[in-house]
Amino acid sequence: MDEKSYYSRLLIVLLMVLCFGVIVLQYICPTSDCQLLHLVSLSSRLGSRAPGNRMNGAGAGDPYSSEDGALVRFVPRFNFTSKDLNRAVDFNIKGDDVIVFLHIQKTGGTTFGRHLVRNIQLERPCECHAGQKKCTCYRPGKRDTWLFSRFSTGWSCGLHADWTELTNCVPSFMVSRESQERRRTPRNYYYITILRDPVWRYLSEWRHVQRGATWKASKHMCDSRLPTVSELPSCYTGDDWSGCSLEEFMVCPYNLANNRQTRMLADLSLVGCYNLSVMSESQRWAMLLESAKRNLRNMAFFGLTEYQRKTQYLFEHTFRLSFITPFTQLNGTRAASVEVEPETQRRIRELNQWDVELYEYARDLFLQRFQYARQQERREARQRRLEERRKLRAKVKSWWGVTGKAVFKSTKEPPMTEQSPAFLEEKQADAGQTLESETEGQVNWLEDDDSETILDYLENVEQWR
């Protein structure tokens, strides 16, 4: 009977200890950010990045790396300042700020433009009606647009207006729609665009022209005048160039498809607009390339057709706006269906050598911006975790009553002198406790720093295209 009673009491004690432990755990770790959960999360990340699980866990672990196809590590080629990489802007949609979309032909700009008017979570969503190409994108509480694009304001500055046209046209266009009182308030204009691999963009434009596209309505306004016929001669004599072969498309020296992205992103006023007699061709294109690079760096945002998820991420990070549905990477374009010989691809690259150089520069800047934004996001998350740990330690210390000093002392002990054994004993104990607390502080500091450094390193060792 005594033995059964003993085991019953032991079982009750164990249950009480277990219940007490659960209560303590819920008290000191009420959220899912518990250290144990951090260990589980870390082990799951390590498991998904193991060589054997890389393909299986790529999509679930990191959607941004899974879109790249071949997992080749990205190595930066260009040096950019932190100002070039950190492009988060204070976009005030309720104020007077305007996003201006520079739409370059055959870069996927139509899809991105539809995302802007139909796929952003807004307090006042754009009003889009069936059968109408344009949507009404007003600010909350105002009859004033926050977006200048094909699907909001139409081609108000000309069909596929370039950087030279937009920077001279958009401010005056917006002023013309304002009242006299509002015109005194300056606006912030945030220019954005989408770029594409030059070879595939060129092939896509050829297929589009082959089906009858001409873009005759494009103004090409520069220095307040239109180009003359001699400055911009046509490659065809009829109404359009439908049915042209790729060879015919490539041999025309006046084809605006050649290096289109560089020309549309540069300041054409620097080279005499479309007057080719101002300087040599090599000097002209060198100046246009540097201008395009500079304008691209200073733009609030640009995306790449080949990186849809990263483009979405950087736009959301830059403007603090969120898309409703994620972007999808579609490779089944008309250009992708064209079988082109390697020699023909080489010739296309030579024809678009300035676009090729600009795209490599843009791709490097784009991926560095993405990497910078992700690292910044992780640093902020790590800082929040450190703050939670400090609060957790303070909560535990206050719960257990740990103050660093003895709380209870016997009142019947004789007074101690500096020579008494009790005093020397307590002095040694205090010294040991001080050393222990200092050592504990060093261990905690090293542990926090090392663990976070290792976590940051593991999270940053990613595969890049």
Side-chain angles (χ1 to χ4, degrees):
M1 188 67 180
D2 294 338
E3 187 176 355
K4 290 183 179 179
S5 176
Y6 170 76
Y7 284 117
S8 299
R9 292 175 181 175
L10 181 61
L11 181 60
I12 293 174
V13 171
L14 291 175
L15 290 175
M16 292 178 63
V17 171
L18 179 61
C19 294
F20 180 75
V22 172
I23 294 173
V24 171
L25 182 62
Q26 291 295 325
Y27 177 77
I28 66 175
C29 187
T31 64
S32 60
D33 293 330
C34 185
Q35 295 298 319
L36 295 176
L37 297 181
H38 278 308
L39 294 176
V40 174
S41 176
L42 179 60
S43 63
S44 63
R45 285 194 295 268
L46 290 174
S48 64
R49 290 173 185 168
N53 297 332
R54 181 166 296 172
M55 295 303 295
N56 295 334
D62 190 354
Y64 304 108
S65 62
S66 63
E67 73 174 354
D68 297 348
L71 296 177
V72 181
R73 183 170 179 79
F74 165 64
V75 179
R77 292 176 49 198
F78 301 94
N79 294 323
F80 297 104
T81 64
S82 58
K83 181 181 178 181
D84 296 330
L85 300 180
N86 185 14
R87 302 305 295 168
V89 299
D90 186 18
F91 177 69
N92 185 7
I93 194 172
K94 296 183 178 180
D96 297 312
D97 297 349
V98 179
I99 295 178
V100 182
F101 180 33
L102 195 164
H103 185 173
I104 302 175
Q105 289 94 316
K106 313 314 294 180
T107 58
T110 300
T111 300
F112 184 77
R114 290 196 178 102
H115 279 304
L116 293 178
V117 298
R118 297 177 182 271
N119 193 29
I120 298 182
Q121 294 180 359
L122 297 172
E123 180 180 341
R124 184 179 182 179
C126 296
E127 297 178 7
C128 302
H129 303 284
Q132 297 181 2
K133 291 185 178 181
K134 292 194 298 183
C135 303
T136 303
C137 298
Y138 285 154
R139 309 175 192 275
K142 299 180 181 179
R143 292 183 60 83
D144 183 34
T145 185
W146 58 269
L147 176 65
F148 187 97
S149 72
R150 167 189 179 183
F151 293 113
S152 59
T153 56
W155 302 112
S156 301
C157 291
L159 179 62
H160 288 285
D162 56 26
W163 188 91
T164 306
E165 293 175 290
L166 288 177
T167 53
N168 287 279
C169 169
V170 172
S172 58
F173 173 81
M174 296 300 297
V175 167
S176 65
R177 296 161 57 104
E178 298 174 348
S179 61
Q180 285 293 123
E181 183 177 350
R182 179 169 293 184
R183 291 180 185 179
R184 302 172 185 173
T185 305
R187 290 181 182 268
N188 294 319
Y189 295 100
Y190 298 105
Y191 288 84
I192 64 175
T193 192
I194 301 292
L195 298 180
R196 187 180 181 183
D197 179 271
V199 174
W200 298 111
R201 197 215 65 80
Y202 189 84
L203 289 171
S204 181
E205 180 166 343
W206 163 61
R207 292 297 300 269
H208 199 56
V209 169
Q210 194 181 45
R211 295 191 300 272
T214 61
W215 297 299
K216 287 181 178 180
S218 297
K219 296 180 180 179
H220 304 293
M221 184 74 70
C222 180
D223 285 349
S224 302
R225 74 175 184 89
L226 298 174
T228 63
V229 177
S230 60
E231 290 175 338
L232 274 184
S234 178
C235 288
Y236 52 91
T237 56
D239 294 334
D240 56 43
W241 208 3
S242 58
C244 72
S245 65
L246 180 57
E247 182 65 25
E248 293 172 335
F249 192 76
M250 293 170 60
V251 297
C252 177
Y254 318 114
N255 195 345
L256 292 179
N258 300 339
N259 300 297
R260 179 181 291 278
Q261 296 179 105
T262 302
R263 188 185 67 256
M264 292 188 66
L265 288 175
D267 183 1
L268 296 176
S269 301
L270 300 175
V271 295
C273 299
Y274 294 92
N275 185 0
L276 304 182
S277 63
V278 174
M279 61 186 69
S280 64
E281 183 180 4
S282 59
Q283 184 181 3
R284 171 185 173 85
W285 279 109
M287 291 185 63
L288 289 177
L289 177 63
E290 290 305 314
S291 176
K293 288 180 178 179
R294 181 169 56 254
N295 292 336
L296 198 67
R297 283 197 310 270
N298 294 331
M299 278 186 171
F301 160 84
F302 71 90
L304 298 182
T305 308
E306 289 74 22
Y307 298 92
Q308 290 293 312
R309 296 298 297 274
K310 291 182 177 67
T311 294
Q312 175 185 350
Y313 175 85
L314 283 179
F315 182 90
E316 293 177 337
H317 176 81
T318 301
F319 292 101
R320 298 294 189 263
L321 297 173
S322 299
F323 290 99
I324 301 172
T325 58
F327 291 10
T328 55
Q329 189 71 48
L330 298 177
N331 296 321
T333 62
R334 291 186 176 93
S337 63
V338 178
E339 295 184 3
V340 182
E341 297 294 331
E343 176 61 23
T344 304
Q345 292 190 32
R346 184 191 63 79
R347 288 179 57 196
I348 294 175
R349 292 181 67 85
E350 288 181 355
L351 285 173
N352 296 271
Q353 59 173 325
W354 306 104
D355 268 12
V356 170
E357 188 170 344
L358 175 65
Y359 183 80
E360 289 301 318
Y361 180 87
R363 178 179 177 272
D364 196 284
L365 176 58
F366 176 84
L367 291 179
Q368 286 198 50
R369 281 184 178 178
F370 175 78
Q371 187 176 21
Y372 186 90
R374 291 292 296 274
Q375 290 176 349
Q376 188 179 43
E377 184 180 20
R378 293 187 184 107
R379 283 194 297 268
E380 293 173 356
R382 185 170 64 248
Q383 188 63 33
R384 289 193 297 268
R385 291 199 301 267
L386 291 176
E387 290 295 330
E388 291 174 0
R389 289 176 185 175
R390 293 189 186 100
K391 294 178 181 178
L392 179 62
R393 292 192 189 98
K395 187 184 294 185
V396 172
K397 288 182 179 180
S398 63
W399 194 82
W400 286 103
V402 178
T403 60
K405 295 182 179 180
V407 179
F408 299 102
K409 286 182 180 284
S410 174
T411 56
K412 296 182 179 180
E413 292 181 356
M416 293 184 294
T417 62
E418 294 185 3
Q419 287 76 23
S420 63
F423 178 83
L424 295 175
E425 221 175 89
E426 183 171 340
K427 187 176 182 180
Q428 292 176 357
D430 289 341
Q433 185 177 2
T434 303
L435 180 61
E436 183 180 355
S437 63
E438 291 177 355
T439 306
E440 181 183 357
Q442 292 177 359
V443 170
N444 287 338
W445 179 82
L446 288 171
E447 184 179 2
D448 286 345
D449 185 73
D450 287 346
S451 63
E452 292 302 325
T453 303
I454 292 172
L455 182 61
D456 184 60
Y457 173 78
L458 291 174
E459 290 178 337
N460 278 289
V461 176
E462 293 184 352
Q463 299 295 330
W464 301 87
R465 184 175 178 179

